[in-house]
Each structure stands twice: as C-alpha cells, then as structure tokens.
Amino acid sequence: MKLVRFGPRGAEKPGLIDDQGQVRDLSGHVPDIAGEWLDPARLQTLRSIAVEALPVVSGPQRMGVPVAGTRQFLAIGLNYRDHAEEAGMAVPPEPILFTKAVSCLQGPDDDVRRPRGAEKMDWEVELGIVIGKRAAYVEKDEAMAHVAGLVVCDDLSERSFQMERMGTWDKGKGCDTFGPVGPWLVTLDEVGDPQDLGMWLDVNGQRMQTGNTRTMIFDCATIVSYLSQFMVLLPGDIIATGTPPGVGMGKVPPVYLKEGDVVELGIDKLGTQRHVVRGWDAV
C-alpha cells in the first residue's frame, strides 16, 4: 500500500493511492496514519478494504508528512561507502547517530526555508524507515517486523552550523523545514528488497546525486536493531538512513543552495519530492 496524508497543513486526512494513482480518502476507516494503525498487523486490516469503495479525492492535493505523531526523527551519518569516499572519511565501524528536530518535518512539496545566517545549505536524498511497532533490544532478524514502511527523506543540512559551530551535528540538521518526508508511506510488501532501490536528486534540473541503497554500509535491519539497543523506538518514529555521493559539500568547488533553487528527488517505488528554497522570512 501507498499511504498518504493529504490536505492543508495541520488538517491533513489519511488516504491511500490506488492503482490509477488517485488519492482515496481513508478517514472513514482510520483516524490518521499514526499510532496503533502503523502496526504491521493493523496495516493488514487496511489491505482488506475494498479500495474501489473509498471516496476519490478530486483535484490536486497538498501532501503532508505521510505519518503523524512522530516523536523521534533519527538519522544515520556516513552510511554509504561511496559517500564516505567522497567526504574523505573512513568507513565507520558502527552506525553514526544524530537527530533531526521533529519540528523540521514537513510535506514533500512544501517550500523549504534558508535559516538566518545560513551560508552552506545542502541536500541529501535518503531512504527513511518508519517504525510501526515498539522496538527495544530487537535482534536483526526480527527488526523489519517492527517497520510500518519506507519513505523518501531530504536530509537538508546547513553545513556551517553542522561543521563549524561548537557541539554536535544536530544544530545543522534540525532547522525549520529541513525534514521533507513523503509523498507516501509505502508498506514493505510493496517495496520488496529495501537494499536495492535506486535514488537520485536534481538541483535546478541538474543531476547531483545518483545512488542505490545496495551501497549502504549498514542495512535497514541492522540500523533498526542497532538503534533499539540504545533507545525505545516507537510507532511513527522516522529513521533517515544516510545519503549516496553527490552532496553539495562534496563538489569541487562546493555548491550550496540559494533562494529560488528548485530541489527534486526520488527513490524507486517510493515517489518523488519537489521543493523550492525560500528566504527565512518568506510567507
């Protein structure tokens, strides 16, 4: 299934995408794509609904973050071998964890805003994991049973805040609008092998990133298991799993986002995003 949340910001409704690409309204069956409805067992009940009987949502729709109630937005750094080479850094012996503020979450096609004082705003197409069932001390072979599905993420980053200011990476990762997610939450049965998904990102129509999840250092199951050793993962939590080569910081010379730039990105089977970079005070 491809699950969505559509409508104005703060008033999104749950829906799904049918075989013709139409949005169908699920609000008569579930209150939201959140909480207990993300449990793989509960998702199975949604598959029994006659899709053709659901109301078709007419006209263009804004897509919101396809999951509600996220309490933790976690991310893994340097998780692609070719990206580590690009950055001139050693392959890490275990996953590098940082966090993105939940307040940075936004829809896949919403404008993104350049923070005040930003000098080096960068892009990162990433595969996102959405937790569906509470996970604590989960073994690798059980990890994916705790996953509701997968999403596209753009791990937007302000490198000057991340690399040149005191403290951890987090302050360059959680700025407002720096977490576009969606357009869909795709359940694992429809994705197939999460370790063989092509991914790409363009800026102003120019291809910047091309990669495949097969070059991940730590695969999805390993990441879920690993993180569950340090914290309880909860339904709706999102984990961004790293980016392939082609980030602006790695270009020679570096290339960074400016106001008016258009960023487009996508991952096989998971859909695409498009956002325009605006100034901080843009309405």
Side-chain angles (χ1 to χ4, degrees):
M1 292 184 296
K2 295 183 177 74
L3 299 172
V4 299
R5 297 175 66 250
F6 64 93
R9 188 188 297 268
E12 293 91 346
K13 293 182 178 181
L16 60 75
I17 304 296
D18 68 16
D19 290 341
Q20 289 72 49
Q22 303 175 107
V23 179
R24 299 273 185 160
D25 190 340
L26 267 177
S27 59
H29 295 266
V30 297
D32 211 342
I33 310 299
E36 64 182 11
W37 284 100
L38 292 167
D39 188 301
R42 295 301 295 270
L43 290 175
Q44 188 62 37
T45 67
L46 296 183
R47 294 187 182 91
S48 65
I49 296 173
V51 174
E52 64 275 9
L54 295 172
V56 175
V57 181
S58 60
Q61 295 291 323
R62 171 191 173 270
M63 294 296 172
V65 178
V67 59
T70 298
R71 286 173 278 188
Q72 300 180 109
F73 191 2
L74 308 170
I76 305 299
L78 286 177
N79 194 35
Y80 282 70
R81 293 185 183 278
D82 35 9
H83 177 48
E85 292 169 3
E86 170 188 58
M89 302 181 75
V91 170
E94 59 184 282
I96 297 172
L97 170 66
F98 61 91
T99 62
K100 290 178 72 75
V102 173
S103 59
C104 82
L105 285 166
Q106 67 162 24
D109 298 327
D110 295 340
D111 290 347
V112 299
R113 297 196 299 168
R114 211 162 165 263
R116 291 176 181 171
E119 300 173 349
K120 300 176 180 179
M121 185 174 169
D122 209 344
W123 56 82
E124 294 187 14
V125 58
E126 305 207 5
L127 174 67
I129 300 169
V130 177
I131 298 298
K133 183 169 65 174
R134 183 182 186 274
Y137 298 108
V138 173
E139 297 298 326
K140 180 179 176 179
D141 60 358
E142 301 173 347
M144 298 307 285
H146 294 260
V147 172
L150 304 176
V151 292
V152 180
C153 298
D154 187 358
D155 176 20
L156 290 161
S157 311
E158 172 47 44
R159 302 300 190 189
S160 66
F161 297 172
Q162 176 191 356
M163 304 291 195
E164 300 167 17
R165 306 286 290 270
M166 296 296 293
T168 65
W169 288 3
D170 298 14
K171 67 180 67 174
K173 294 287 191 172
C175 305
D176 189 48
T177 76
F178 271 26
V181 173
W184 317 310
L185 167 63
V186 185
T187 53
L188 295 179
D189 60 303
E190 188 159 332
V191 174
D193 183 0
Q195 304 309 144
D196 189 19
L197 299 174
M199 52 208 308
W200 58 272
L201 182 144
D202 294 348
V203 178
N204 300 327
Q206 180 180 356
R207 183 58 46 93
M208 296 294 184
Q209 289 187 274
T210 302
N212 192 291
T213 57
R214 72 171 68 97
T215 70
M216 288 170 63
I217 299 165
F218 305 104
D219 64 17
C220 293
T222 298
I223 289 169
V224 172
S225 174
Y226 179 85
L227 294 182
S228 77
Q229 312 305 310
F230 302 98
M231 64 194 72
V232 176
L233 302 175
L234 302 167
D237 287 354
I238 300 171
I239 307 167
T241 60
T243 198
V247 298
M249 180 176 62
K251 303 294 184 185
V252 182
V255 178
Y256 296 113
L257 294 171
K258 58 186 184 302
E259 292 176 30
D261 284 348
V262 178
V263 182
E264 298 173 280
L265 59 146
I267 299 177
D268 290 350
K269 304 180 182 181
L270 303 183
T272 62
Q273 300 185 3
R274 181 184 187 276
H275 26 266
V276 180
V277 180
R278 305 294 188 190
W280 174 256
D281 297 311
V283 176

